[in-house]
Amino acid sequence: IPDYIAKIYREQSQYPSLSRADVGPVITSQYGGSYSNISTEWTQQDLERNEIVKFCRQYIVFHDNKSIVYSGPSGNCTEIKGELLSQDSPSGEMKAVMRECSIKGEEKQFLEIWHRNRKIKSLNLTELKKHGKVYEDDQFGCLVWSHSETHLLYVAEKKRPKAESYFQSGSESTLLVDEDEVMKSAKKEDSVKGDQFVYYEDWGETLVTKATPVLCILDIEGNNVSVLESIPDSISPGQAFWAPNDTGVVFVGWWHDTADANSFTMLCVFLYARSSLFYVDLTGGKCERLSSDSAAVCSPRLSPDLCRIVYLECEVYGPHQQCNKLCMDLIVVDTSTDQVTSLTSKSNMGSWCLLTIHRDLMVVSCSSPNCPPSLRVGFLPVSGSEDEMSWVTLEEAQTQPEIDWQILSFTPPPEEDNSQYPGLDYEAILLKPKDVTEKTKLPLIVNPHGGPHSVIVAEWLLSPAVFCSVGFGVLLVNYRGSIGYGQDSILSLPGNVGTQDVKDVQFAVESVLKQGGFDREKVVVTGGSHGGFLACHLIGQYPDFYKACAARNPVINLASMIGSTDIPDWCMVEAGFDYKTNTLLSPAMLEQMLNKSPIKHVTQVKAPVLLALGEDDRRVPNKQGLEYYKSLKAFNVPVRLLWYPDNNHSLSKVDAESDGFMNIVLWLIQHLSL
Ligand SMILES: CSCC[C@H](NC=O)C(=O)N[C@@H](CO)C(=O)O
């Protein structure tokens, strides 16, 4: 059995995901036709190399600016190695690449400029020592060409003064005997004694080692990098772009509490903290705030007519991922009328993701739980004709015939309605193996997502697809509090975690069992993070119902986690309190946190538990899972612990993800006696 399942996992993991698409400028060919080049980036697990590989493929799309006349690939796939960031220039003539490579065992970062078929510049940023490592993450990182194509804007770690010990050999000035030596030493880099072991607070999970971002500009012609000095120390900049005419730069600035603005050890930083849009004028150096100073903003974009900035805004702290994100469907927002229209209402594809739009030419990735991602292009129809939207497929994907899926809706029973936010429904996605006989009663895996304010959309999902291919039904529950169902749904959950979400999942499972087709004696639960919190709650609150459980980095005890997670605000908000950085926890607050935690029900647990923990998890520190492991052992519940070194909260390194999957499926099979 394990070999058979591993074979299916290997096959299904070979479907790549689209991570990016760029549309080049419209080119008129010598025969009069117009075309655009589209470059796409994909990712795929490479089980042999134990890496997620990134590759690119180009396509050519002939069009008349309204519809597509002809399209197709213009080459094969090429693997991308060492690229941290890349960006084509607006004219399409040049490309900038931020590259990391190892030279004689030392990691170096280069900024390369490519022109047509050659590399015309390769600037060793590490040697230049103007700043620390470049930020390549989605939160702060950017690489943006100026409109004039003469400058590049990016974010990097602020240069830190060299730190040395008071006792470092040669550091004592008395050892310098002649004056020349004293002069030479003064010219050496400034160093700070005694700061070698000072703790630098960073931005937490997935942003470790990133503490103090600065905006940097490369003057391409002059080979000169300058760090923008006029941004106040109390603001960490990111997500930047050039203002029209390149006279300034717009960016998101995260405010942080500064104890000492000149030291690097002052931050009280969570990405969910207050942030505003800023403009820094490059001629006079003035930095001004453009948006409110009491909200959180992100994802600013300059409109194509260069007249407006579009960005997302939400309240500071409160539930993470509260209503400020468009997802689930591809929609058009008419900014003059506020009307929202679906472009994909006629499609049976579960999920549409807009990768880019350039002069109304859209590039999308679409997929379903039974169909891996395919690449499509199409022109945005004129307002009112959204129904006529027509898509051209550039890269087709095969529907998996053995998987059936549907979206289910649930209305909580009256006693579970939330009196403050009444009348909220929720949904779940059910995957079932196709072609099973009427009499077959399938085992069911229940999987609530994490967050809790996130969502499982009806897209291609590797693990559920493999579970289904080997004979399990999979129920993915978007309980009340999931995103995509409005702010009321999100707000209904904080203060009610461990009850409302648990009951929503249980009600969904009971409803599915009533429909028939599943074996009531073979129901198991899996989940990661807050999904792991729910899985552990469910086996504690319904001890005879679930026959096995598998949890990735689960939240076990809010009271013991608040002091060690990188997002303590999460613990307070989800437990039902307002968050302030200077709140002192009282015994009553800690008691409320404990009461809402799965550890409260540990003595009831009967289901065997598989725990998968990341050694470097900063979000839900592995001590949480260890606390549960020790308690389960103390109460003689079968438990197995998988420990993944060099892995953080997501356990998404290829070996961890594939090993985790195999261990989970075999654990469930073993404890269901399948
Ligand atoms: C203190 S972390 C609480 C759980 C975590 N929430 C936010 O980061 C979580 O559930 N994460 C989910 C989804 O983001 C996960 O799957 O890791």
Side-chain angles (χ1 to χ4, degrees):
I1 285 179
D3 287 350
Y4 167 70
I5 298 174
K7 179 174 166 283
I8 294 183
Y9 185 89
R10 179 183 296 280
E11 280 166 13
Q12 308 273 41
S13 69
Q14 281 171 359
Y15 294 113
S17 295
L18 274 151
S19 51
R20 172 176 169 182
D22 292 306
V23 180
V26 182
I27 300 166
T28 309
S29 79
Q30 51 181 325
Y31 308 108
S34 301
Y35 68 91
S36 300
N37 287 310
I38 297 184
S39 48
T40 58
E41 279 182 21
W42 305 69
T43 54
Q44 185 185 328
Q45 287 195 355
D46 184 329
L47 291 164
E48 280 66 33
R49 268 168 48 190
N50 189 21
E51 268 180 72
I52 294 178
V53 289
K54 192 156 95 173
F55 60 90
C56 59
R57 195 171 196 199
Q58 268 73 38
Y59 302 83
I60 190 160
V61 177
F62 281 89
H63 57 80
D64 57 9
N65 281 318
K66 282 199 285 301
S67 55
I68 291 162
V69 182
Y70 168 81
S71 62
S74 51
N76 282 326
C77 301
T78 315
E79 188 173 332
I80 307 172
K81 269 280 208 209
E83 277 191 20
L84 299 175
L85 296 163
S86 70
Q87 197 61 53
D88 286 341
S89 68
S91 66
E93 286 282 297
M94 289 186 280
K95 180 178 180 170
V97 177
M98 197 63 84
R99 194 180 300 281
E100 188 158 71
C101 54
S102 162
I103 299 179
K104 292 187 187 149
E106 274 184 55
E107 296 254 295
K108 306 269 182 212
Q109 294 191 325
F110 290 84
L111 183 42
E112 302 171 347
I113 310 289
W114 294 78
H115 183 239
R116 300 199 175 142
N117 66 338
R118 57 199 184 99
K119 182 169 15 176
I120 57 166
K121 195 146 285 194
S122 184
L123 207 68
N124 187 334
L125 296 178
T126 314
E127 286 297 296
L128 219 56
K129 294 193 175 139
K130 289 281 180 82
H131 51 69
K133 284 204 164 183
V134 171
Y135 280 42
E136 79 304 351
D137 56 278
D138 295 337
Q139 187 62 42
F140 294 96
C142 59
L143 180 60
V144 201
W145 284 90
S146 62
H147 303 280
S148 60
E149 305 197 350
T150 56
H151 291 73
L152 280 161
L153 172 67
Y154 61 94
V155 180
E157 182 65 17
K158 186 168 180 171
K159 187 178 166 189
R160 285 182 192 169
K162 211 172 139 228
E164 57 184 35
S165 139
Y166 285 104
F167 306 101
Q168 197 156 324
S169 129
S171 72
E172 308 91 327
S173 52
T174 49
L175 285 184
L176 300 170
V177 280
D178 69 36
E179 256 179 40
D180 272 1
E181 281 297 308
V182 176
M183 290 304 288
K184 270 191 227 157
S185 137
K187 276 188 201 149
K188 276 205 290 178
E189 259 183 85
D190 282 346
S191 58
V192 186
K193 290 198 177 104
D195 271 10
Q196 257 181 313
F197 302 103
V198 165
Y199 176 65
Y200 291 89
E201 198 172 349
D202 62 27
W203 289 88
E205 180 74 10
T206 75
L207 295 167
V208 280
T209 74
K210 292 175 177 148
T212 316
V214 284
L215 290 182
C216 309
I217 292 179
L218 167 69
D219 166 6
I220 300 173
E221 189 61 38
N223 284 337
N224 182 40
V225 170
S226 44
V227 174
L228 295 189
E229 306 284 358
S230 44
I231 299 171
D233 282 331
S234 53
I235 292 164
S236 288
Q239 301 184 15
F241 60 84
W242 295 89
N245 301 328
D246 300 333
T247 48
V249 163
V250 178
F251 64 92
V252 175
W254 282 266
W255 303 84
H256 41 74
D257 300 343
T258 40
D260 168 4
N262 293 317
S263 114
F264 287 95
T265 57
M266 76 287 182
L267 307 177
C268 172
V269 287
F270 317 118
L271 289 171
Y272 310 95
R274 201 159 56 97
S275 56
S276 309
L277 269 190
F278 291 89
Y279 171 73
V280 57
D281 174 27
L282 294 178
T283 49
K286 199 170 151 221
C287 182
E288 54 184 312
R289 183 168 48 77
L290 301 179
S291 68
S292 137
D293 66 352
S294 56
V297 304
C298 64
S299 310
R301 302 282 187 277
L302 188 62
S303 63
D305 62 3
L306 309 184
C307 293
R308 284 160 290 176
I309 299 169
V310 183
Y311 63 99
L312 301 174
E313 183 173 285
C314 71
E315 271 182 37
V316 179
Y317 296 122
H320 296 176
Q321 308 294 347
Q322 50 184 306
C323 274
N324 62 0
K325 192 175 170 189
L326 291 176
C327 61
M328 293 284 284
D329 204 344
L330 183 54
I331 53 178
V332 186
V333 181
D334 183 327
T335 50
S336 53
T337 62
D338 286 351
Q339 232 196 342
V340 175
T341 324
S342 173
L343 285 179
T344 55
S345 53
K346 280 190 188 156
S347 149
N348 57 2
M349 273 290 179
S351 162
W352 292 75
C353 176
L354 179 68
L355 298 167
T356 189
I357 177 163
H358 183 80
R359 300 180 71 186
D360 291 354
L361 178 58
M362 294 180 286
V363 186
V364 298
S365 164
C366 57
S367 70
S368 292
N370 66 346
C371 185
S374 63
L375 175 68
R376 296 187 187 180
V377 285
F379 274 95
L380 185 66
V382 288
S383 181
S385 309
E386 285 81 6
D387 269 4
E388 286 156 34
M389 178 72 224
S390 104
W391 296 102
V392 173
T393 302
L394 291 180
E395 209 69 74
E396 190 61 272
Q398 287 304 312
T399 299
Q400 306 292 294
E402 72 280 10
I403 303 174
D404 210 0
W405 68 276
Q406 64 190 118
I407 294 178
L408 306 170
S409 267
F410 304 101
T411 303
E415 65 280 13
E416 301 312 338
D417 200 29
N418 184 313
S419 54
Q420 220 185 330
Y421 298 97
L424 295 170
D425 288 351
Y426 62 101
E427 291 182 327
I429 303 167
L430 179 64
L431 280 77
K432 263 199 274 195
K434 247 192 196 156
D435 298 332
V436 285
T437 60
E438 280 229 339
K439 278 191 196 143
T440 313
K441 294 270 179 213
L442 294 167
L444 181 65
I445 300 175
V446 178
N447 183 279
H449 61 74
H453 310 295
S454 78
V455 68
I456 305 187
V457 295
E459 64 186 350
W460 173 252
L461 299 157
L462 175 61
S463 299
V466 183
F467 279 135
C468 196
S469 303
V470 301
F472 285 93
V474 184
L475 184 67
L476 306 159
V477 188
N478 288 323
Y479 45 87
R480 280 175 289 173
S482 304
I483 57 172
Y485 299 91
Q487 183 77 342
D488 276 3
S489 179
I490 291 171
L491 295 179
S492 74
L493 188 53
N496 296 316
V497 293
T499 45
Q500 181 181 292
D501 44 6
V502 171
K503 287 183 173 151
D504 280 358
V505 176
Q506 190 61 19
F507 183 72
V509 184
E510 292 283 6
S511 311
V512 165
L513 291 180
K514 272 189 202 138
Q515 278 183 18
F518 292 100
D519 186 343
R520 212 188 157 80
E521 297 305 314
K522 293 195 177 353
V523 183
V524 294
V525 61
T526 64
S529 196
H530 186 85
F533 168 94
L534 291 175
C536 298
H537 257 300
L538 286 158
I539 56 172
Q541 296 189 35
Y542 303 93
D544 295 310
F545 188 86
Y546 293 95
K547 299 301 178 295
C549 166
R552 164 189 55 92
N553 291 317
V555 174
I556 293 300
N557 181 345
L558 292 166
S560 65
M561 192 175 76
I562 190 164
S564 57
T565 171
D566 65 337
I567 48 171
D569 62 308
W570 184 94
C571 302
M572 294 214 34
V573 169
E574 296 306 333
F577 304 106
D578 285 338
Y579 178 74
K580 283 206 205 83
T581 47
N582 59 1
T583 305
L584 197 60
L585 290 169
S586 66
M589 289 162 92
L590 288 167
E591 187 184 351
Q592 185 160 319
M593 289 185 192
L594 181 66
N595 283 337
K596 294 184 186 299
S597 301
I599 196 75
K600 176 94 192 300
H601 308 277
V602 71
T603 55
Q604 315 298 317
V605 172
K606 291 183 185 162
V609 178
L610 177 68
L611 291 167
L613 306 182
E615 187 171 84
D616 302 333
D617 191 344
R618 298 271 293 267
R619 183 123 310 174
V620 180
N622 50 50
K623 296 282 182 296
Q624 286 289 298
L626 287 170
E627 189 176 328
Y628 204 51
Y629 175 76
K630 286 180 185 155
S631 304
L632 291 170
K633 283 204 118 173
F635 293 106
N636 293 318
V637 179
V639 55
R640 174 174 155 91
L641 174 56
L642 302 169
W643 185 262
Y644 294 102
D646 200 22
N647 266 273
N648 60 16
H649 188 55
S650 59
L651 295 190
S652 55
K653 295 248 167 107
V654 172
D655 54 355
E657 193 172 322
S658 49
D659 179 85
F661 175 81
M662 288 304 294
N663 267 286
I664 292 172
V665 72
L666 296 173
W667 182 257
L668 303 181
I669 288 173
Q670 176 192 346
H671 294 286
L672 288 176
S673 314
L674 294 175

